Amino acid sequence: MSPELRSRNVYGGIEGYMARTLLKACGFTDEEIDRPLVAVVNSWTNIVPGHVHLDKVAEAVEAGIRTAGGTPLQFHTIAVCDGIAMGHEGMRYPLPSRDIITASIEIMVEAHKLDGMVLIGSCDKIVPGMLMAAAHLDIPAIVVNGGPMLPGYYKGQKLTGSKGLELMFLNMLLPSEQTMKEATELSDYVCPGAGSCQGMYTANTMGCITEALGMSLPGSATIPAVYARRLRVAKQSGMQIMKLIEEDIRPHDIMVYEAFENAIRVDMALGGSTNTVLHLPAIAAQLEIELPLELLDKLSRETPHLCNMDPAGPYTVKDLDEAGGIPAVLKELGDHIHQDALTVTGKTLGENVKDAAVLNREVVRPKDNPVHKEGGIAILKGTLAPEGAVVKQSAVDPKMLKFEGPAKVFDAEEDALKAIMKQEINLGEVIVIRYEGPKGGPGMKEMLKPTAALVGTGLGSEVALVTDGRFSGATRGPCIGHVTPEAMDGGPIAAVKDGDVISIDIANRRVDLKIPEEELRERLRRWRPPEPKVKKGILAAYSKIVKPTSRGAGFLF
């Protein structure tokens, strides 16, 4: 028997006269209003390449909903492009936007009492925000990912967003006229069209994780944005939401603890973005599921890294799609995966992938011959990060897995970038960028430009970088982020001085400030927080109430 529709209590009977009238004013008929009312939550904008095509994706979703007997009602969320926001004050906003997206979806769905929702998103904070909303609202929901961008080609070289940025910084060492010409030409070819940037950066990592969680249709995460298959899977998702409503299958039935373990293991197998360490705990928290940092590190140690994806490796998400996509990765992981986890298909994960196959063994390596024996992400602790720090170990040169050097300290990302470009960084140093955490930033800026500049200027395997901020999924090299407690909270990173020796030992999960314990205590006793960088607006509110990075850096939920 079908469950009672929430919308009936708002739009049915004499009591629903006014609400029904208002929907009729939008052009809806009685027949449409009497069907299940499905939110089509779209993050379309013509600013962001990952979202510029989502109007067409939403049309396909709506067609699927109507085909299966429902009525789609579309509204939009905000969508920040991290790439455009990168390297300036705008990068303070993407992480807070995640919770704003969640809240905006809650407001629209609850105010209008819709029966289910299809969530259409692509880029870094949008998909996590939508998954948080699905978990929080717990009505039937399915996620449609916008899909990856195709790789670019320039002078015969295959390019991605990260490789293009590194090449740009290399060209900045050329005479100024030549630099501008090269940069202009690069900008024509690196990003050839719609889709989320080509490598296993945050956007594509979250799309893949969503599929592993069971919240999107099998095989959907890796379909390039411009392929017709993307529109077909959107229509199928619109049809499938009607089955979820009919059978009353909700996010809490799908996103159980075991599903989060599956998502973490797929993340580790892919060598995904470190930003998932922020997003997965925040999503799980809506369902009262705890994902401590120790769990992520444990699963990383147990899970082989199977896919040598850009930025560390040569393969794009298009290559992964042609190799069989996430079903192939899940199939290869085998008994590492909880096969009986329910998905939006109404079937288990194991049933979904039983016929999957790996079609390219260079892209998806066998478990007994992985890229690395451990997963892509490692959680470090030590005197510099008592509550934890995060590194994408799969993207670190083996010779840098253990490193020790004197600190070069900066209190802002911009200052560090200037020093790199002026070639003021010495070989063997550890760059420390602090006061860029959630509270101190505020907003926890993503730092792709300094890390790309290090690679582009030839320092990528010669210096390390440690910060209480975060990194892009496109970052590679010995870059350690999410240092907790952050500097603004008086963590040990606030006490570091130029010349202090910092020791990094990824294999043993350590990051230490090598000064006497008494000296560290004395420095922290004398420490006083600096004046807040932002004193009004959403960022000021965020800095006052944001949770630590070890708990997902949320501020509304």
Side-chain angles (χ1 to χ4, degrees):
M1 183 177 177
S2 300
E4 179 69 23
L5 295 173
R6 299 178 353 138
S7 59
R8 293 283 191 272
N9 296 322
V10 176
Y11 304 96
I14 294 297
E15 300 85 354
Y17 164 79
M18 178 54 72
R20 197 176 190 89
T21 295
L22 291 168
L23 276 190
K24 284 188 171 183
C26 298
F28 291 100
T29 65
D30 284 318
E31 290 80 4
E32 288 175 304
I33 298 169
D34 286 337
R35 296 169 185 162
L37 302 181
V38 183
V40 177
V41 185
N42 193 359
S43 53
W44 175 87
T45 168
N46 66 357
I47 303 174
V48 185
H51 298 248
V52 71
H53 62 304
L54 295 187
D55 54 340
K56 303 295 189 297
V57 174
E59 287 175 7
V61 167
E62 290 186 337
I65 292 169
R66 291 192 186 97
T67 297
T71 298
L73 300 173
Q74 186 175 168
F75 65 87
H76 289 248
T77 72
I78 58 174
V80 174
C81 178
D82 285 44
I84 294 174
M86 194 77 63
H88 58 87
E89 296 300 302
M91 185 38 79
R92 302 187 193 283
Y93 289 91
L95 187 55
S97 80
R98 182 191 68 184
D99 287 37
I100 299 296
I101 289 165
T102 305
S104 71
I105 296 169
E106 177 189 355
I107 289 167
M108 289 296 288
V109 169
E110 287 301 278
H112 302 102
K113 288 299 175 189
L114 305 179
D115 299 308
M117 54 186 179
V118 181
L119 301 151
I120 307 171
S122 183
C123 291
D124 295 21
K125 311 307 171 295
I126 295 86
V127 171
M130 288 178 167
L131 284 169
M132 287 169 65
H136 179 67
L137 292 169
D138 201 32
I139 63 172
I142 190 169
V143 177
V144 177
N145 185 267
M149 185 186 293
L150 297 175
Y153 288 88
Y154 178 64
K155 295 183 178 179
Q157 182 178 356
K158 180 179 175 180
L159 286 178
T160 60
S162 65
K163 299 296 189 296
L165 188 58
E166 291 166 7
L167 191 56
M168 185 199 74
F169 279 115
L170 176 61
N171 287 334
M172 287 177 72
L173 301 177
L174 300 172
S176 58
E177 286 186 15
Q178 189 177 352
T179 296
M180 194 62 228
K181 181 176 181 295
E182 288 282 339
T184 301
E185 286 186 4
L186 265 175
S187 68
D188 287 335
Y189 294 98
V190 171
C191 295
S196 48
C197 295
Q198 305 100 325
M200 196 53 66
Y201 317 150
T202 306
N204 288 318
T205 302
M206 287 307 307
C208 294
I209 280 177
T210 301
E211 188 178 324
L213 268 174
M215 286 298 293
S216 60
L217 292 182
S220 62
T222 58
I223 301 169
V226 296
Y227 284 12
R229 285 166 54 212
R230 174 59 51 196
L231 298 181
R232 293 199 295 272
V233 83
K235 286 181 184 176
Q236 290 161 356
S237 298
M239 296 167 69
Q240 187 61 27
I241 189 63
M242 300 307 299
K243 292 182 181 178
L244 295 174
I245 292 170
E246 173 72 20
E247 297 172 17
D248 197 27
I249 297 175
R250 304 187 181 209
H252 81 265
D253 299 313
I254 296 170
M255 289 193 283
V256 296
Y257 174 81
E258 289 78 9
F260 281 100
E261 280 205 356
N262 288 343
I264 293 168
R265 288 192 186 275
V266 166
D267 186 8
M268 300 307 170
L270 294 172
S273 168
T274 53
N275 283 314
T276 57
V277 177
L278 294 174
H279 299 321
L280 281 173
I283 298 162
Q286 312 312 309
L287 297 158
E288 299 184 353
I289 296 171
E290 289 190 17
L291 298 181
L293 292 180
E294 291 78 9
L295 173 66
L296 276 77
D297 194 64
K298 174 180 178 292
L299 295 181
S300 181
R301 287 183 182 275
E302 296 173 359
T303 309
H305 174 212
L306 302 178
C307 304
N308 198 14
M309 306 293 295
D310 181 84
Y315 301 113
T316 66
V317 182
K318 174 179 177 286
D319 297 319
L320 178 59
D321 185 64
E322 292 168 355
I326 298 307
V329 176
L330 288 164
K331 185 77 174 225
E332 183 60 33
L333 285 171
D335 57 9
H336 283 296
I337 295 297
H338 297 284
Q339 303 284 337
D340 56 352
L342 184 66
T343 73
V344 290
T345 65
K347 300 176 182 177
T348 67
L349 198 66
E351 289 173 318
N352 287 347
V353 305
K354 67 181 175 63
D355 296 324
V358 177
L359 305 177
N360 186 329
R361 278 297 181 189
E362 293 300 313
V363 178
V364 182
R365 299 274 286 272
K367 280 190 299 185
D368 58 3
N369 184 27
V371 183
H372 299 104
K373 291 181 179 179
E374 292 187 355
I377 291 173
I379 306 299
L380 314 184
K381 291 189 176 184
T383 57
L384 189 60
E387 294 176 20
V390 182
V391 64
K392 189 172 183 175
Q393 65 174 341
S394 60
V396 179
D397 188 316
K399 75 176 186 180
M400 297 293 286
L401 291 171
K402 191 169 185 177
F403 185 80
E404 187 171 290
K408 186 94 166 188
V409 182
F410 301 92
D411 287 347
E413 175 200 9
E414 294 84 354
D415 295 338
L417 181 59
K418 288 176 186 175
I420 295 167
M421 295 313 299
K422 289 180 180 179
Q423 300 183 348
E424 295 173 353
I425 304 299
N426 300 310
L427 300 183
E429 288 184 323
V430 178
I431 299 169
V432 176
I433 305 177
R434 63 189 179 195
Y435 297 108
E436 293 290 9
K439 185 181 292 187
M444 201 180 187
K445 289 193 296 188
E446 191 173 83
M447 298 184 211
L448 178 56
K449 282 195 172 180
T451 58
L454 287 172
V455 175
T457 55
L459 294 174
S461 296
E462 305 296 339
V463 302
L465 196 158
V466 178
T467 180
D468 55 5
R470 62 191 177 90
F471 296 115
S472 166
T475 292
R476 61 189 177 109
C479 300
I480 296 164
H482 304 211
V483 169
T484 313
E486 63 173 288
M488 200 66 174
D489 276 334
I493 194 170
V496 182
K497 295 181 179 180
D498 283 346
D500 287 346
V501 174
I502 292 176
S503 172
I504 298 164
D505 186 346
I506 294 175
N508 290 306
R509 304 302 200 255
R510 298 289 305 182
V511 55
D512 291 294
L513 177 61
K514 299 190 76 173
I515 63 173
E517 187 177 339
E518 303 78 14
E519 171 70 11
L520 177 58
R521 278 201 302 266
E522 179 59 24
R523 289 187 194 180
L524 290 174
R525 189 187 66 78
R526 295 197 306 267
W527 173 84
R528 296 293 180 272
E531 280 291 306
K533 295 176 185 175
V534 179
K535 297 183 180 179
K536 62 181 180 180
I538 186 64
L539 292 176
Y542 177 81
S543 68
K544 290 181 175 68
I545 57 177
V546 64
K547 298 180 180 71
T549 55
S550 56
R551 293 169 55 203
F555 79 115
L556 289 180
F557 296 89

